[in-house]
Amino acid sequence: MDWKKTKNILIVALLIMNIFLIYNIYFKEDIQRHNFVDFSAVRNLLLERKIDISNVEQMEYTQMQKYSIKKNKYDPVTLSELESNYFVLSDRDDVLNIYFNLTDYEGENYSEILEKLKSIIKIDDTNSKLIYNYEANGKTFFLYNQRYNDDILDDGFLRVEYLPEMYILFEYQWLDIVDSGEKFDGDIYPIEKSILSLLEELSDIKDMVKIVDFQIVYHVEEKDNLIIDNIVMSEPLPYWRAITNDGRNIYFNGLR
């Protein structure tokens, strides 16, 4: 008998059973009675398994709007303005890489460069949301996601990597959005149930993992891909998205 394989099967089975029991003990009766769920119990449980969700707030979602999206084609005037402001441009998989070499422009202020870039590409608080801002290995990382009607689109983003006195690297992809006027059938899985899925997804971790963001986003599956064509557009679905402190994105189906 392959004891190693048997052991792994038993671990997975016990994990699934634990999730089922936890859901029934902590949440099922409360949801049926429409009472408030003690989200601190969820935090404590995950913390025991080395998953820190102290940054995550309890939230509720109702039916979600349907959208059609496609990648925005970059305006030549905008690209020219970026280059005239000493940004170096390159393209990778239809994502625009925007590089600023700080060693060539000593004394340039990082925040001023960021604001200048956002002004040129027309990103502000009305159409974007800052998802995270953290430091690791001497670098600072930011993520802005595109926002439309207060909904977050995972495939529209400005990612920032900043190494002081060396460089700033921006990864930029923006979307054209069409509101269909329709809503998805079915509600969104409650956060209390969805976030417990991290127990299975991160079952093999040894060190503490911090979840820097957990919320509903619109996301296009990789196999469906975003289509650049002028006519055909992709239709993103709602997902719960977890982002770990090492930059890993984890997606869970948001519709039930």
Side-chain angles (χ1 to χ4, degrees):
M1 180 180 291
D2 188 340
W3 286 107
K4 186 176 180 180
K5 183 177 181 181
T6 303
K7 180 182 177 182
N8 289 337
I9 293 173
L10 287 173
I11 291 173
V12 172
L14 288 171
L15 188 58
I16 293 172
M17 184 179 296
N18 282 341
I19 292 174
F20 175 77
L21 290 173
I22 291 162
Y23 176 67
N24 277 275
I25 292 171
Y26 283 106
F27 310 125
K28 190 173 181 181
E29 291 183 2
D30 282 336
I31 290 172
Q32 289 174 345
R33 293 195 303 266
H34 304 287
N35 287 342
F36 177 76
V37 176
D38 183 6
F39 197 59
S40 63
V42 181
R43 288 197 180 96
N44 293 336
L45 174 66
L46 290 173
L47 193 59
E48 290 175 5
R49 305 294 182 87
K50 297 185 177 180
I51 303 172
D52 181 357
I53 63 166
S54 56
N55 280 359
V56 180
E57 297 295 330
Q58 189 175 23
M59 59 194 80
E60 294 182 3
Y61 291 87
T62 56
Q63 282 187 307
M64 303 292 289
Q65 193 72 31
K66 288 184 178 181
Y67 299 114
S68 294
I69 62 174
K70 66 178 178 181
K71 291 179 182 177
N72 181 284
K73 291 188 175 181
Y74 304 118
D75 179 7
V77 175
T78 299
L79 299 181
S80 177
E81 187 175 356
L82 287 169
E83 289 177 332
S84 66
N85 281 275
Y86 311 111
F87 293 102
V88 179
L89 310 181
S90 61
D91 186 273
R92 180 181 55 79
D93 298 330
D94 297 318
V95 174
L96 184 64
N97 287 332
I98 307 171
Y99 184 81
F100 193 94
N101 190 343
L102 291 168
T103 62
D104 291 342
Y105 303 95
E106 293 183 9
E108 289 284 351
N109 182 282
Y110 162 73
S111 59
E112 290 178 357
I113 295 171
L114 173 60
E115 290 308 312
K116 181 184 292 184
L117 173 77
K118 289 170 63 179
S119 175
I120 294 172
I121 61 179
K122 297 179 174 57
I123 288 181
D124 55 34
D125 292 340
T126 65
N127 62 3
S128 69
K129 179 180 179 181
L130 177 62
I131 303 299
Y132 61 66
N133 170 7
Y134 69 91
E135 295 183 7
N137 301 319
K139 299 177 182 178
T140 302
F141 298 89
F142 292 81
L143 171 65
Y144 294 88
N145 267 139
Q146 188 169 357
R147 178 166 60 183
Y148 185 82
N149 291 340
D150 288 330
D151 293 323
I152 304 300
L153 293 110
D154 176 68
D155 301 286
F157 55 81
L158 175 67
R159 301 191 190 108
V160 186
E161 178 183 314
Y162 168 49
L163 181 59
E165 300 181 4
M166 295 298 293
Y167 67 82
I168 312 172
L169 176 62
F170 305 91
E171 292 181 311
Y172 172 60
Q173 177 174 283
W174 221 239
L175 306 170
D176 291 329
I177 306 165
V178 176
D179 187 337
S180 70
E182 300 179 0
K183 294 184 181 294
F184 286 103
D185 294 332
D187 296 326
I188 296 296
Y189 278 108
I191 187 173
E192 302 87 6
K193 182 176 180 181
S194 297
I195 205 164
L196 286 173
S197 301
L198 290 170
L199 291 171
E200 182 176 0
E201 188 69 27
L202 300 174
S203 61
D204 59 344
I205 60 172
K206 296 179 180 179
D207 300 319
M208 184 69 69
V209 172
K210 187 176 183 66
I211 304 301
V212 298
D213 188 66
F214 192 90
Q215 64 178 301
I216 284 288
V217 299
Y218 285 82
H219 172 68
V220 177
E221 282 283 4
E222 185 176 353
K223 61 181 174 56
D224 294 330
N225 289 326
L226 284 171
I227 301 172
I228 305 177
D229 186 271
N230 286 327
I231 300 174
V232 182
M233 304 182 79
S234 300
E235 295 184 353
L237 297 174
Y239 284 82
W240 284 103
R241 180 190 66 186
I243 302 179
T244 65
N245 59 327
D246 58 0
R248 179 180 174 187
N249 284 16
I250 305 171
Y251 299 93
F252 305 109
N253 189 359
L255 291 173
R256 61 176 176 180

